[in-house]
Amino acid sequence: MVMPAAANGSAVLHHGSNGAALRRTDVELDRDRIERDLHDIVVQRLFATGLTLHNALQFVGANSEVTYRIDQAIEELDRVVRELRITVFELNAAPGREGGLVADGSTPTGERLAAHVRT
């Protein structure tokens, strides 16, 4: 009678560890989806908006106030894009995952994170 109880306890432990593994897999899938969505949707739209503003500068003429405000908007978009990219890399650097940033803001391979909103 002791053997079936021990076997049952082992099955419960095994089932519990499978549940934890499934939850970790779900979290990983959510992270991957969030990373993709942030990059494919948000970052690309912000980048395109920055390019549009940059191209609009040629139509402003000599109005220094308008030029200044557009430049400020482009710089802010650039900062937002950088912050989002850092967030994506930090998601990728969660415990048990490789990747992420090193102290200087580059990836482990040395690639710098920068939005090239301006040419």
Side-chain angles (χ1 to χ4, degrees), residues 38-39 43-44 47 78-92 101 107 111-117:
L38 280 174
H39 183 267
V43 172
Q44 293 301 325
F47 184 80
D78 188 40
R79 282 189 292 274
V80 170
V81 168
R82 272 195 311 275
E83 288 172 12
L84 281 169
R85 286 184 171 167
I86 288 169
T87 301
V88 167
F89 278 98
E90 286 174 347
L91 280 171
N92 197 28
L101 298 174
T107 64
E111 176 186 344
R112 290 292 304 167
L113 299 174
H116 300 287
V117 173

Side-chain angles (χ1 to χ4, degrees), residues 34-56:
I34 291 167
E35 290 171 10
R36 264 191 326 276
D37 288 352
L38 280 174
H39 183 267
D40 294 346
I41 298 169
V42 178
V43 172
Q44 293 301 325
R45 288 178 67 189
L46 289 169
F47 184 80
T49 302
L51 288 175
T52 299
L53 287 171
H54 180 73
N55 289 333

Side-chain angles (χ1 to χ4, degrees), residues 9-32:
S10 175
V12 168
L13 287 175
H14 179 69
H15 178 67
S17 66
N18 282 344
L22 287 173
R23 283 190 295 281
R24 280 192 302 274
T25 300
D26 287 343
V27 168
E28 288 296 317
L29 290 173
D30 281 345
R31 273 196 192 113
D32 290 343

